[in-house]
Amino acid sequence: MNGTKSFLEEEINLSKFQLFSNLSPEELIHLNIEGTYLVYTRNETVYLEGSRLKGFYLVLRGILNVYKTGRNGEEQNLRFAKCGEIIGYHSIICQEPENCSVRAIEESVLCHIPYSTVMRLLQYNRQFSGRILQIACEELNETNKRLTSIAQKKAKENLAEILLVLKQKFDPDDANVLQIPLSREELASTTGNGKETVIRILSEFRRDKLIEIKKGRIKLLDIPKIKVIASL
Amino acid sequence: MNGTKSFLEEEINLSKFQLFSNLSPEELIHLNIEGTYLVYTRNETVYLEGSRLKGFYLVLRGILNVYKTGRNGEEQNLRFAKCGEIIGYHSIICQEPENCSVRAIEESVLCHIPYSTVMRLLQYNRQFSGRILQIACEELNETNKRLTSIAQKKAKENLAEILLVLKQKFDPDDANVLQIPLSREELASTTGNGKETVIRILSEFRRDKLIEIKKGRIKLLDIPKIKVIASL
DNA sequence: CGAACTGTTGAGAGGCTTCAAGCCTAGTGG
DNA sequence: CCACTAGGCTTGAAGCCTCTCAACAGTTCG
């Protein structure tokens, strides 16, 4: 992990993020002074479960894997965070050690916002605290949906669903190519299956011309059929 | 569903709930005027997924099953709500239709707090909005933990874990008897397994003197061993 | 008392995991 | 530049776990 403010100065205009769009000029100045910018390379860990964070992070660029470590130290993906999303805020709000770990999936740039700054904003800026509350509730809705799918769906249905979820989140050009470089193992940790199971199903999807894999990126060829398989 | 304010007048002192403990006398008066009290009998539905709620609910008495309907209309329990907890607040905060359903597991009394009241409190009472935020984050932590267990653990481990979670939440006297009348099917919908699987594991636990079942209530006899099975 | 529902047990099938071996690819060092 | 190596990817086979179907016992309630 390394990074200096000047290096990134240009690309950073925190007020363009919805979360900070309602800050007063003064609050923005403070935010810019107090926030620090960090670069993480692929597979680099941002923090581990159990850490006591000194603030939260805003994702400026890249994609991160938010996961828990479960049985036998096996990773379970909880969500992927991308530009504009925040991570590590539970820890701050609940005043508890973090309950999940975060690792960069591709080179990522984060902005660390220290505890005191967050607290000041939460206290004095209603729009900000309201937005955080909304973010938490949205995340909760997502997680509830995932939990239900993982608990009830078969591996194939579940994987098909995940592909659609990833498309929605990581296909900005709408070219049906998932712009997220996931290993088979990471994909498996997302669906809650073994690596081999995921590989077999992907092979099957490929054979049936539902998807295509080029340079590690998955392209969805037949979304209607994938939706049927996902039972959506 | 039926209930009148006078019927319950006595037992209701909303300010005793932590969520409302920081309300001004004026806010409390409004809350008392605007809140309505509702009684639900066992298995009665409070609301269904997709509803547009006109407020949220505080549980005054009883236990509720918060669940989603998944594959083939099968229920997936997300959590159980008891006295002092709130339900239906995502809907209000995200301004979206509710994403889960709620049903009374035993006779329950709820206080419905209308949208306008919630919004006023969220806007003007920082302690209140902060507390809601904290509740959301705690729920998120719980759900993340559940998701990981459901995805990774075997039925037996998972069921053992659920028993311990239920003990923590529904054993106020610390007598190791779970004061929550769950059907086998409801228990199965919590662990994400079939009913028969749960029954078999419970039988095994009973045979091994880990638990005892009397009048539908589960008593935990050997918590250390249950913890070992749960891999905790 | 019978009906309807919940709980229990058995048997069989199928899905998923696990182990194992070989392939492919990217990156390294000679 | 090429051979080599490490790590990810792929496929096969075996076995276990869980689901599903089915029959029956027990319980509750009108």
Side-chain angles (χ1 to χ4, degrees):
Chain A
M1 148 171 69
N2 73 68
T4 61
K5 184 158 295 196
S6 61
F7 167 52
L8 296 155
E9 205 76 46
E10 257 186 300
E11 78 173 291
I12 287 162
N13 173 10
L14 291 175
S15 68
K16 82 178 178 196
F17 294 102
Q18 204 201 335
L19 182 60
F20 296 129
S21 59
N22 290 301
L23 263 57
S24 70
E26 201 183 325
E27 284 171 326
L28 263 177
I29 290 170
H30 270 105
L31 186 64
N32 272 305
I33 293 171
E34 290 156 356
T36 46
Y37 303 93
L38 306 161
V39 181
Y40 294 84
T41 58
R42 166 152 177 86
N43 285 329
E44 200 175 356
T45 296
V46 180
Y47 56 79
L48 290 174
E49 214 171 327
S51 316
R52 292 213 168 255
L53 302 187
K54 297 193 171 63
F56 72 58
Y57 300 83
L58 172 70
V59 182
L60 299 178
R61 199 172 57 201
I63 304 176
L64 299 119
N65 181 2
V66 181
Y67 64 94
K68 271 183 93 73
T69 305
R71 212 176 59 128
N72 310 332
E74 200 182 329
E75 284 184 14
Q76 176 62 44
N77 165 269
L78 298 170
R79 67 185 183 102
F80 298 106
K82 69 171 181 181
C83 176
E85 296 185 24
I86 54 176
I87 55 181
Y89 63 97
H90 317 170
S91 184
I92 302 299
I93 287 161
C94 294
Q95 314 244 19
E96 280 176 7
E98 252 299 315
N99 82 117
C100 43
S101 308
V102 174
R103 175 163 41 78
I105 284 197
E106 58 175 31
E107 179 167 298
S108 302
V109 181
L110 304 185
C111 176
H112 179 266
I113 296 144
Y115 184 76
S116 55
T117 311
V118 181
M119 281 316 190
R120 207 171 45 227
L121 286 172
L122 279 176
Q123 276 235 322
Y124 298 116
N125 188 324
R126 259 172 227 123
Q127 313 238 19
F128 179 82
S129 61
R131 181 70 192 123
I132 296 270
L133 180 53
Q134 208 174 344
I135 288 171
C137 286
E138 280 164 9
E139 194 179 329
L140 194 43
N141 287 349
E142 285 305 310
T143 308
N144 283 338
K145 204 185 290 182
R146 290 271 51 237
L147 185 147
T148 304
S149 291
I150 287 185
Q152 298 194 351
K153 289 189 173 177
K154 305 236 181 274
K156 200 197 289 191
E157 299 173 83
N158 210 358
L159 180 52
E161 182 177 314
I162 293 289
L163 291 179
L164 296 170
V165 170
L166 292 177
K167 172 185 159 45
Q168 179 150 19
K169 190 158 183 176
F170 297 107
D171 181 22
D173 331 325
D174 209 34
N176 295 337
V177 179
L178 307 184
Q179 300 297 344
I180 175 173
L182 288 180
S183 71
R184 299 293 185 267
E185 195 132 21
E186 282 167 327
L187 204 44
S189 117
T190 307
T191 63
N193 293 111
K195 179 184 49 171
E196 294 90 339
T197 302
V198 167
I199 287 172
R200 276 181 244 274
I201 296 170
L202 284 181
S203 298
E204 192 185 326
F205 284 178
R206 214 163 10 177
R207 177 164 49 70
D208 296 347
K209 302 264 183 289
L210 301 178
I211 63 168
E212 197 177 83
I213 303 179
K214 273 186 189 163
K215 289 188 230 159
R217 301 288 156 107
I218 299 175
K219 177 170 187 181
L220 309 187
L221 297 176
D222 193 339
I223 293 177
K225 270 192 196 159
I226 296 175
K227 277 189 184 163
V228 171
I229 292 173
S231 319
L232 288 180
Chain B
M1 150 173 64
N2 73 69
T4 61
K5 186 159 290 197
S6 63
F7 167 52
L8 296 154
E9 204 77 48
E10 255 186 301
E11 76 174 292
I12 287 162
N13 173 8
L14 292 176
S15 69
K16 79 178 180 195
F17 293 102
Q18 204 200 334
L19 182 60
F20 297 129
S21 60
N22 290 301
L23 264 56
S24 69
E26 201 183 327
E27 285 172 326
L28 262 176
I29 290 170
H30 271 105
L31 186 64
N32 271 306
I33 294 171
E34 291 157 354
T36 45
Y37 303 93
L38 306 160
V39 181
Y40 294 85
T41 57
R42 167 150 177 88
N43 285 328
E44 200 175 355
T45 296
V46 180
Y47 56 79
L48 290 174
E49 213 169 327
S51 318
R52 291 213 168 256
L53 302 186
K54 297 194 173 62
F56 72 57
Y57 300 82
L58 172 69
V59 182
L60 300 177
R61 199 172 57 202
I63 304 177
L64 299 117
N65 181 2
V66 181
Y67 65 95
K68 270 182 94 71
T69 305
R71 212 175 60 127
N72 310 333
E74 200 182 329
E75 283 184 16
Q76 177 61 44
N77 166 268
L78 298 170
R79 68 185 182 101
F80 298 106
K82 68 172 181 180
C83 177
E85 296 186 24
I86 54 177
I87 56 181
Y89 64 95
H90 317 171
S91 184
I92 302 298
I93 286 161
C94 293
Q95 314 245 21
E96 280 176 7
E98 254 298 316
N99 82 116
C100 45
S101 307
V102 174
R103 176 163 40 80
I105 284 196
E106 58 176 29
E107 180 168 297
S108 301
V109 180
L110 303 186
C111 176
H112 179 266
I113 295 143
Y115 185 75
S116 55
T117 310
V118 180
M119 281 317 191
R120 207 170 46 227
L121 286 171
L122 279 176
Q123 276 235 323
Y124 298 115
N125 188 323
R126 260 174 225 122
Q127 315 238 17
F128 179 82
S129 61
R131 182 70 193 124
I132 295 270
L133 179 54
Q134 207 174 347
I135 288 170
C137 286
E138 280 163 9
E139 194 178 329
L140 194 43
N141 286 350
E142 286 303 312
T143 308
N144 282 338
K145 205 185 291 179
R146 290 274 48 240
L147 186 149
T148 304
S149 291
I150 286 185
Q152 300 194 348
K153 289 188 174 179
K154 305 234 181 277
K156 200 198 287 192
E157 299 173 84
N158 209 359
L159 179 53
E161 181 177 313
I162 292 289
L163 291 179
L164 295 169
V165 170
L166 291 177
K167 172 184 158 44
Q168 178 149 19
K169 190 157 182 177
F170 297 107
D171 181 21
D173 331 326
D174 210 34
N176 295 337
V177 179
L178 307 185
Q179 301 297 342
I180 175 173
L182 288 180
S183 71
R184 299 293 184 266
E185 194 134 20
E186 282 167 327
L187 204 44
S189 116
T190 307
T191 64
N193 294 111
K195 177 184 54 171
E196 295 90 338
T197 302
V198 167
I199 288 173
R200 276 181 245 273
I201 296 169
L202 283 181
S203 297
E204 191 186 326
F205 284 178
R206 214 164 10 178
R207 178 165 47 71
D208 296 346
K209 302 264 182 291
L210 301 178
I211 63 169
E212 196 175 82
I213 302 180
K214 273 186 189 164
K215 288 188 232 155
R217 301 289 156 105
I218 299 174
K219 178 171 185 179
L220 309 187
L221 297 175
D222 192 339
I223 291 176
K225 269 192 197 161
I226 295 175
K227 278 188 184 162
V228 171
I229 291 174
S231 318
L232 287 179

